[in-house]
């Protein structure tokens, strides 16, 4: 039994070390301008997966009804009210949805 | 014995070999709900079992289960698995009750998203099976388990694989399914799913249809081994999904529990 637990803990520790080696890109913290923004997301393997982005972005202040184009990875959001998210807010929301943020469409 | 060991070793390593999708029915995938999102997944598993050399059970098992998978961060989630089981032996002896509660922590430790829908991910999972079940369906012990899962999606193709080791240390009164005996258990699964519709995604988020097949393997340390091949049909809308599989044995060397004749699984997935 103790051997089993040791193996379990050892495997978990190795994976924690491997996982923690990831580095994060830093994005601009200033609020975005305009009435909408388009940005790219990668890794949306299936429609239900992609809908996680809608649910997470809907919780971001100033964001209304994200539209997702899975053929290009382009996500369009309209802004509502006075509050505007920053690019950093969008990148964090995409990461918290489980995907990779690829930047604003120029 | 040596060839069996090599077969098990190879299949346990499938997360690293194929490392590859859209989530199949039994194969665990390194996907999880976004932070604060919840996936509720009711699933019904029907098993038709036939006698083996040492276990003369012949009958059916109907397992009605629900998974609750809650996203903690973008890369981690906690999952609760509750099920109720109805075991019928030749329509004569019937027992039913809740099984032990499973709590699973999932962590995606590697992710490479290389296209709008294309991704390669690796995940680790660990958890405990707690002795909360009814008297007929509890092992009366806390069972730790851990495993690895992998997923590869490129265009319309998706492959997943997983291997989970259960350090079983107790058995049920009437063990009939893999993992219910006093023997360590490795569940190894691999699945391929092909998106039949839509051929290409467009500007709107639409539902998709997938077909595919899954290999579900179980090895137990008393040398029982079984592999099933299960064709899959999966419909996935943005906020819910429906799945059905039919599993038939392709390799059986089972002595201490009944052999599987066939299995049918019907499931739903809801994203909140």
């Amino acid at each position: 039994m103790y051997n089993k637990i040791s193996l379990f803990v050892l495997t978990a520790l190795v994976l924690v070390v491997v996982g923690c080696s990831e580095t994060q890109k830093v994005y601009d913290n200033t609020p975005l301008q305009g009435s909408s923004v388009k940005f790219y997301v990668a890794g949306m393997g299936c429609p239900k997966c992609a809908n996680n982005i809608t649910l997470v972005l809907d919780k971001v202040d100033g964001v209304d009804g994200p539209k997702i184009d899975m053929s290009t990875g382009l996500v369009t959001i309209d802004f509502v009210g006075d509050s505007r998210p920053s690019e950093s807010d969008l990148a964090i929301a995409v990461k918290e949805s489980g995907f990779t943020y690829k930047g604003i469409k120029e | 014995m040596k060839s069996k060991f090599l077969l098990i070793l190879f299949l346990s390593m499938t997360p690293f070999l194929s490392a590859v999708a859209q989530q199949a029915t039994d194969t665990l995938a390194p996907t999880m709900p976004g932070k604060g999102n919840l996936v509720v997944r009711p699933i019904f598993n029907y098993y038709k079992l036939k006698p083996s050399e040492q276990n003369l059970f012949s009958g059916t098992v109907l397992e009605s289960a629900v998974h609750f998978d809650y996203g903690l961060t973008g890369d981690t989630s906690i999952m609760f698995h509750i099920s109720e089981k109805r075991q019928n032996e030749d329509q004569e002896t019937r027992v039913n009750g809740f099984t032990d509660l499973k709590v699973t922590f999932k962590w995606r430790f590697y992710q490479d998203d290389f296209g709008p829908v294309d991704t390669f991910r690796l995940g680790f999972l660990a958890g405990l099976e707690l002795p909360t079940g009814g008297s007929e369906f509890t092992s009366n012990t806390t069972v730790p388990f851990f495993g690895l899962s992998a997923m590869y999606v490129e265009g319309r193709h998706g492959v997943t694989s997983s291997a989970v080791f259960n350090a079983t240390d107790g058995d049920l009164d009437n063990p009939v399914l893999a993992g219910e005996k006093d023997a360590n258990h490795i569940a190894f699964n691999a699945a391929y799913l092909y998106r039949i519709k839509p051929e290409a995604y467009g500007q709107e988020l639409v539902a998709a249809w997938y077909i595919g097949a899954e290999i579900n393997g179980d090895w137990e340390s008393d040398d029982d081994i079984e592999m099933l091949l299960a064709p899959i049909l999966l419909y996935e809308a943005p906020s819910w999904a429906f799945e059905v599989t039919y599993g038939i044995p392709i390799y059986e060397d089972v002595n201490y529990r009944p052999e599987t004749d066939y299995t049918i699984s019907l499931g739903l997935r809801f994203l909140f």
Side-chain angles (χ1 to χ4, degrees), chain B:
Chain B
M1 182 65 199
K2 191 180 172 189
S3 61
K4 231 187 236 182
F5 175 77
L6 290 173
L7 176 68
I8 292 155
L9 186 67
F10 170 77
L11 289 166
S12 303
M13 294 300 283
T14 50
F16 303 104
L17 299 175
S18 58
V20 260
Q22 295 98 349
Q23 184 169 5
T25 305
D26 282 320
T27 307
L28 291 161
T31 58
M32 50 272 300
K35 184 181 178 182
N37 297 346
L38 174 72
V39 169
V40 179
R41 190 177 173 200
I43 187 160
F44 300 94
N45 298 312
Y46 177 81
Y47 304 84
K48 179 79 171 72
L49 304 170
K50 58 189 180 187
S52 64
E53 205 171 285
Q54 307 265 348
N55 190 316
L56 300 178
F57 179 96
S58 171
T60 63
V61 176
L62 176 63
E63 184 184 31
S64 311
V66 188
H67 304 255
F68 297 92
D69 196 359
Y70 181 76
L72 300 172
T73 67
D75 300 323
T76 58
S77 73
I78 188 161
M79 188 162 72
F80 297 90
H81 171 102
I82 304 163
S83 73
E84 197 259 2
K85 205 176 269 185
R86 287 165 187 270
Q87 200 164 296
N88 297 342
E89 187 165 7
D90 282 337
Q91 304 302 319
E92 287 170 8
T93 313
R94 297 183 179 199
V95 286
N96 65 286
F98 282 95
T99 63
D100 290 343
L101 171 72
K102 266 187 185 179
V103 184
T104 309
F105 173 74
K106 293 200 295 181
W107 173 43
R108 183 174 53 240
F109 62 87
Y110 180 80
Q111 178 173 356
D112 177 15
D113 296 333
F114 56 95
V117 299
D118 312 315
T119 185
F120 171 56
R121 300 168 178 212
L122 296 171
F124 170 72
L125 63 101
L128 294 171
E129 192 174 297
L130 305 167
T132 57
S135 57
E136 297 280 350
F137 297 108
T138 181
S139 65
N140 290 310
T141 58
T142 298
V143 178
F145 59 89
F146 66 92
L148 292 165
S149 62
M151 173 168 112
Y152 182 86
V153 179
E154 186 169 351
R156 300 168 75 180
H157 307 275
V159 189
T160 44
S161 59
S162 66
V164 180
F165 174 75
N166 295 266
T168 314
D169 211 13
D171 57 353
L172 272 58
D173 291 344
N174 296 296
V176 295
L177 300 179
E180 293 184 348
K181 291 176 291 179
D182 186 6
N184 292 329
H185 170 222
I186 296 175
F188 49 90
N189 299 288
Y192 169 74
L193 284 174
Y194 176 72
R195 192 181 73 232
I196 50 174
K197 198 178 169 186
E199 282 185 33
Y201 287 115
Q203 292 183 350
E204 298 293 322
L205 204 52
V206 295
W209 283 92
Y210 301 93
I211 53 168
E214 192 170 36
I215 289 175
N216 308 128
D218 291 290
W219 171 83
E220 291 164 285
S221 53
D222 57 7
D223 267 352
D224 274 359
I225 182 166
E226 188 174 55
M227 281 192 285
L228 305 182
L229 175 67
I232 302 172
L233 177 66
L234 171 66
Y235 170 82
E236 195 177 87
S239 56
W240 70 280
F242 167 77
E243 61 195 315
V244 57
T245 73
Y246 176 73
I248 49 167
I250 51 172
Y251 181 84
E252 281 183 317
D253 184 3
V254 174
N255 293 308
Y256 304 106
R257 63 177 175 85
E259 293 182 351
T260 304
D261 199 357
Y262 64 87
T263 67
I264 298 171
S265 296
L266 289 170
L268 292 167
R269 307 172 191 181
F270 299 98
L271 171 67
F272 299 99

Side-chain angles (χ1 to χ4, degrees), chain A residues 1-22 24 38 40-57 59 66-74 76 92-102, chain B residues 22 31-37 39 73-75 107-109 111-119 121 124-127 142 144-148 151 153 155 165 167-169 184 195 200-208 210 236-241 269-272:
Chain A
M1 182 67 185
Y2 289 110
N3 284 345
K4 289 172 190 166
I5 292 172
S6 306
L7 179 64
F8 179 80
V9 172
L10 183 66
T11 309
L13 285 174
V14 169
L15 290 169
V16 165
V17 171
V18 173
C20 290
S21 59
E22 189 182 355
Q24 296 297 319
K38 293 176 187 251
Y40 289 102
V41 174
M44 300 179 287
C46 59
K48 194 163 68 63
C49 314
N51 201 28
N52 273 290
I53 297 175
T54 310
L55 295 176
V56 174
L57 276 172
K59 294 174 195 160
K67 293 177 186 64
I68 300 169
D69 179 349
M70 288 181 69
S71 64
T72 58
L74 193 63
T76 306
I92 289 168
V94 169
K95 177 159 175 51
E96 288 180 347
S97 308
F99 306 102
T100 301
Y101 179 78
K102 291 288 188 181
Chain B
Q22 295 98 349
T31 58
M32 50 272 300
K35 184 181 178 182
N37 297 346
V39 169
T73 67
D75 300 323
W107 173 43
R108 183 174 53 240
F109 62 87
Q111 178 173 356
D112 177 15
D113 296 333
F114 56 95
V117 299
D118 312 315
T119 185
R121 300 168 178 212
F124 170 72
L125 63 101
T142 298
F145 59 89
F146 66 92
L148 292 165
M151 173 168 112
V153 179
F165 174 75
T168 314
D169 211 13
N184 292 329
R195 192 181 73 232
Y201 287 115
Q203 292 183 350
E204 298 293 322
L205 204 52
V206 295
Y210 301 93
E236 195 177 87
S239 56
W240 70 280
R269 307 172 191 181
F270 299 98
L271 171 67
F272 299 99

